[in-house]
Amino acid sequence: MNPNMIQQVHLKAPDNWINDPNGFIYYKGQYHLFYQYFPYEPRWGTMHWGHAVSKDLLTWEHRGIALFPSRYEDANGCFSGSAVEKDGKLYLFYTGVHYKKEDPKDIHVALDGDFEAAQLMITSEDGFTFHNITDKKVIIPPIVDPAIGDRTNTRDPKVFRGKKGWYMVLGSTIKNKKGEVLIYQSQDLSQWEYVNQAYKEKDLGWMWECPDYVETPGGNVFIFSPLGLMQDQMREDSQAVCVLADFCEETCELDISDEYRFFDYGLDLYAPQSTTDQDGNRVIIAWLRMPKPVDGKWSGMFCLPRLVEVKKGHIYFPVHPSVKKHFSKEIPTLEEADENGFRILTSLEEGEEISIGGYRIYREGNHICTDRKDVFPAIDGYRMQFQTPELKDGYDLDIYVDEHLVEVYVNDGEYVISNCVYGLEKKILAGDEKRLKVYTINHGNESEFYWWPC
Ligand code: FRU
């Protein structure tokens, strides 16, 4: 990786492979975003934590590898986790995996999928220096009681602060059949005590990855990524979902509502993770799964950061205001669009359609639909058409486009459809061009954009 590489709009794999966002936090004046990173090939393998920083959630600077395997418990990978700040220090929590046996032909995967998972912690004084060899601490050893969770499939600690202390939600499974979340409590971030588990009776995947509990002024939300949720034999069968939820500190019970919705209706995004932004709002980002590497070189990127808002019991994911603000330069033609992307504002009448370089967005009754078949590789089993649930707030679209990712925000985040694309042409076809407004990045004062503290 080339540290100090700058990317705008969507944070992408600097090379090779990335998956989940990890340790997302606003810390000491900038956003830190770590991520699952395999530095050797554009495919999944022994996990490291890559690291990028941003001041505005639009321009990202890569900062190299923060965490790498260095001890028995994480010898085969530093899996996903989260960050919090306490007394000026950055605390990272993650899952360390140790394979029973490595596959002799490919040491980056476990033979027969057999491994042990422990939860670890590491701290940093400045958010950039991590002493991998000396500073890691096991905080939760592999689970031995199958009535609580699983020694293998327990992972992705997300830590948050309550009124009575710190809490952790940890994804797990009951006997590899039913997804569940484990809840731990701590006073000092170092000693953790198991306090409860939560799951649903109805079929909601066999394991819950990347749980996240998000409190917002309009209501609280539980977000998670159940493995094997979809039954249609299409890829991907694991999907990120969210539900209204409430965590009670007195009883340590997490009450999860029955009605779930997808985090994103393009069904490409996965493993979202939230944090609190500079202004105290909840902001969330997620991994875009890509079916094949770009130019055989890199795979994986992140969607635009979104707010998490609950209004009248509905969970909204509007694009973050800092991103909107930067996409404010109106342009007459796409020729003038920034190479990193453009934004289109429009709305659709019944039966209307626009095509963005071959990616179709259209309205059918009370739904907004998309079709990517002309800009996506013909690989069996991938979904090509998508649609929102029934819309209640109108048909306004705020669309962000870059070479490999189109994000369609409907009614300011009532629903979002984000799709991975390949070979998008730089042109727009619409029934009524007058109703389109096209914007690109307003670079304004460049020095402000490209200034980074040492
Ligand atoms: C989700 C996930 C996590 C795990 C990580 C490993 O995509 O499977 O559960 O920690 O990726 O890379």
mmCIF file of all heavy atoms in Angstrom, residues 331 333-343 426 438-441:
data_model
loop_
_atom_site.group_PDB
_atom_site.id
_atom_site.type_symbol
_atom_site.label_atom_id
_atom_site.label_comp_id
_atom_site.label_asym_id
_atom_site.label_seq_id
_atom_site.Cartn_x
_atom_site.Cartn_y
_atom_site.Cartn_z
ATOM 1 N N ILE A 331 -23.316 21.929 -12.591
ATOM 2 C CA ILE A 331 -22.621 21.936 -13.885
ATOM 3 C C ILE A 331 -23.637 21.676 -15.009
ATOM 4 O O ILE A 331 -24.581 20.907 -14.829
ATOM 5 C CB ILE A 331 -21.483 20.879 -13.933
ATOM 6 C CG1 ILE A 331 -21.952 19.518 -13.387
ATOM 7 C CG2 ILE A 331 -20.256 21.360 -13.197
ATOM 8 C CD1 ILE A 331 -20.945 18.393 -13.538
ATOM 9 N N THR A 333 -23.081 20.237 -18.019
ATOM 10 C CA THR A 333 -22.933 18.932 -18.690
ATOM 11 C C THR A 333 -21.996 18.048 -17.867
ATOM 12 O O THR A 333 -21.176 18.546 -17.081
ATOM 13 C CB THR A 333 -22.279 19.068 -20.090
ATOM 14 O OG1 THR A 333 -20.925 19.507 -19.897
ATOM 15 C CG2 THR A 333 -23.035 20.014 -20.986
ATOM 16 N N LEU A 334 -22.083 16.752 -18.140
ATOM 17 C CA LEU A 334 -21.233 15.814 -17.397
ATOM 18 C C LEU A 334 -19.750 15.981 -17.704
ATOM 19 O O LEU A 334 -18.908 15.549 -16.918
ATOM 20 C CB LEU A 334 -21.635 14.380 -17.718
ATOM 21 C CG LEU A 334 -22.766 13.790 -16.908
ATOM 22 C CD1 LEU A 334 -22.856 12.309 -17.168
ATOM 23 C CD2 LEU A 334 -22.557 14.031 -15.424
ATOM 24 N N GLU A 335 -19.456 16.573 -18.856
ATOM 25 C CA GLU A 335 -18.047 16.806 -19.214
ATOM 26 C C GLU A 335 -17.308 17.519 -18.076
ATOM 27 O O GLU A 335 -16.115 17.322 -17.876
ATOM 28 C CB GLU A 335 -17.951 17.722 -20.445
ATOM 29 C CG GLU A 335 -17.597 17.012 -21.731
ATOM 30 C CD GLU A 335 -18.788 16.251 -22.269
ATOM 31 O OE1 GLU A 335 -19.028 15.105 -21.824
ATOM 32 O OE2 GLU A 335 -19.470 16.830 -23.111
ATOM 33 N N GLU A 336 -18.044 18.344 -17.369
ATOM 34 C CA GLU A 336 -17.378 19.132 -16.324
ATOM 35 C C GLU A 336 -17.332 18.430 -14.968
ATOM 36 O O GLU A 336 -16.895 19.002 -13.980
ATOM 37 C CB GLU A 336 -18.079 20.483 -16.196
ATOM 38 C CG GLU A 336 -17.762 21.359 -17.391
ATOM 39 C CD GLU A 336 -18.615 22.600 -17.430
ATOM 40 O OE1 GLU A 336 -18.640 23.317 -16.417
ATOM 41 O OE2 GLU A 336 -19.248 22.830 -18.475
ATOM 42 N N ALA A 337 -17.817 17.195 -14.954
ATOM 43 C CA ALA A 337 -17.852 16.484 -13.661
ATOM 44 C C ALA A 337 -16.447 16.078 -13.215
ATOM 45 O O ALA A 337 -15.597 15.742 -14.035
ATOM 46 C CB ALA A 337 -18.741 15.260 -13.758
ATOM 47 N N ASP A 338 -16.242 16.091 -11.937
ATOM 48 C CA ASP A 338 -14.989 15.656 -11.338
ATOM 49 C C ASP A 338 -14.779 14.161 -11.617
ATOM 50 O O ASP A 338 -15.741 13.395 -11.651
ATOM 51 C CB ASP A 338 -15.116 15.876 -9.823
ATOM 52 C CG ASP A 338 -13.827 15.660 -9.091
ATOM 53 O OD1 ASP A 338 -13.469 14.478 -8.833
ATOM 54 O OD2 ASP A 338 -13.180 16.661 -8.770
ATOM 55 N N GLU A 339 -13.535 13.768 -11.794
ATOM 56 C CA GLU A 339 -13.289 12.340 -12.095
ATOM 57 C C GLU A 339 -13.730 11.435 -10.941
ATOM 58 O O GLU A 339 -13.946 10.236 -11.112
ATOM 59 C CB GLU A 339 -11.807 12.104 -12.394
ATOM 60 C CG GLU A 339 -10.925 12.589 -11.269
ATOM 61 C CD GLU A 339 -9.486 12.115 -11.375
ATOM 62 O OE1 GLU A 339 -9.161 11.360 -12.276
ATOM 63 O OE2 GLU A 339 -8.694 12.536 -10.504
ATOM 64 N N ASN A 340 -13.863 12.007 -9.742
ATOM 65 C CA ASN A 340 -14.254 11.181 -8.605
ATOM 66 C C ASN A 340 -15.757 11.025 -8.440
ATOM 67 O O ASN A 340 -16.202 10.310 -7.548
ATOM 68 C CB ASN A 340 -13.668 11.743 -7.321
ATOM 69 C CG ASN A 340 -12.175 11.579 -7.300
ATOM 70 O OD1 ASN A 340 -11.672 10.485 -7.522
ATOM 71 N ND2 ASN A 340 -11.467 12.676 -7.087
ATOM 72 N N GLY A 341 -16.515 11.764 -9.246
ATOM 73 C CA GLY A 341 -17.948 11.522 -9.132
ATOM 74 C C GLY A 341 -18.804 12.750 -9.336
ATOM 75 O O GLY A 341 -18.323 13.878 -9.342
ATOM 76 N N PHE A 342 -20.093 12.481 -9.517
ATOM 77 C CA PHE A 342 -21.051 13.571 -9.657
ATOM 78 C C PHE A 342 -22.344 13.194 -8.944
ATOM 79 O O PHE A 342 -22.519 12.035 -8.505
ATOM 80 C CB PHE A 342 -21.291 13.917 -11.130
ATOM 81 C CG PHE A 342 -21.696 12.755 -11.992
ATOM 82 C CD1 PHE A 342 -23.035 12.447 -12.192
ATOM 83 C CD2 PHE A 342 -20.738 11.950 -12.610
ATOM 84 C CE1 PHE A 342 -23.414 11.380 -12.992
ATOM 85 C CE2 PHE A 342 -21.113 10.880 -13.418
ATOM 86 C CZ PHE A 342 -22.457 10.587 -13.601
ATOM 87 N N ARG A 343 -23.215 14.185 -8.856
ATOM 88 C CA ARG A 343 -24.463 14.004 -8.118
ATOM 89 C C ARG A 343 -25.612 14.489 -8.995
ATOM 90 O O ARG A 343 -25.471 15.514 -9.666
ATOM 91 C CB ARG A 343 -24.372 14.851 -6.852
ATOM 92 C CG ARG A 343 -25.639 14.977 -6.063
ATOM 93 C CD ARG A 343 -25.433 15.969 -4.920
ATOM 94 N NE ARG A 343 -26.606 16.043 -4.072
ATOM 95 C CZ ARG A 343 -26.816 16.989 -3.172
ATOM 96 N NH1 ARG A 343 -25.925 17.951 -2.991
ATOM 97 N NH2 ARG A 343 -27.907 16.984 -2.442
ATOM 98 N N LYS A 426 -20.089 7.766 -19.254
ATOM 99 C CA LYS A 426 -20.344 9.077 -18.660
ATOM 100 C C LYS A 426 -21.416 9.826 -19.446
ATOM 101 O O LYS A 426 -21.134 10.754 -20.195
ATOM 102 C CB LYS A 426 -19.040 9.869 -18.636
ATOM 103 C CG LYS A 426 -18.880 10.683 -17.369
ATOM 104 C CD LYS A 426 -17.528 11.339 -17.316
ATOM 105 C CE LYS A 426 -17.360 12.132 -16.055
ATOM 106 N NZ LYS A 426 -16.115 12.852 -16.003
ATOM 107 N N VAL A 438 -27.399 18.603 -12.138
ATOM 108 C CA VAL A 438 -26.170 17.826 -11.978
ATOM 109 C C VAL A 438 -25.151 18.670 -11.206
ATOM 110 O O VAL A 438 -24.979 19.856 -11.489
ATOM 111 C CB VAL A 438 -25.587 17.424 -13.354
ATOM 112 C CG1 VAL A 438 -24.372 16.525 -13.169
ATOM 113 C CG2 VAL A 438 -26.640 16.710 -14.188
ATOM 114 N N TYR A 439 -24.503 18.046 -10.273
ATOM 115 C CA TYR A 439 -23.525 18.741 -9.436
ATOM 116 C C TYR A 439 -22.214 17.972 -9.421
ATOM 117 O O TYR A 439 -22.190 16.758 -9.590
ATOM 118 C CB TYR A 439 -24.007 18.825 -7.979
ATOM 119 C CG TYR A 439 -25.263 19.598 -7.807
ATOM 120 C CD1 TYR A 439 -26.496 18.967 -7.976
ATOM 121 C CD2 TYR A 439 -25.233 20.948 -7.487
ATOM 122 C CE1 TYR A 439 -27.666 19.673 -7.823
ATOM 123 C CE2 TYR A 439 -26.406 21.663 -7.322
ATOM 124 C CZ TYR A 439 -27.632 21.020 -7.493
ATOM 125 O OH TYR A 439 -28.789 21.718 -7.334
ATOM 126 N N THR A 440 -21.152 18.686 -9.171
ATOM 127 C CA THR A 440 -19.893 18.002 -8.929
ATOM 128 C C THR A 440 -19.256 18.586 -7.667
ATOM 129 O O THR A 440 -19.823 19.467 -7.023
ATOM 130 C CB THR A 440 -18.976 18.088 -10.175
ATOM 131 O OG1 THR A 440 -17.929 17.145 -10.029
ATOM 132 C CG2 THR A 440 -18.411 19.488 -10.350
ATOM 133 N N ILE A 441 -18.073 18.076 -7.358
ATOM 134 C CA ILE A 441 -17.451 18.496 -6.101
ATOM 135 C C ILE A 441 -17.005 19.949 -6.206
ATOM 136 O O ILE A 441 -16.377 20.351 -7.177
ATOM 137 C CB ILE A 441 -16.236 17.607 -5.780
ATOM 138 C CG1 ILE A 441 -16.662 16.146 -5.726
ATOM 139 C CG2 ILE A 441 -15.586 18.030 -4.475
ATOM 140 C CD1 ILE A 441 -15.511 15.181 -5.697
#
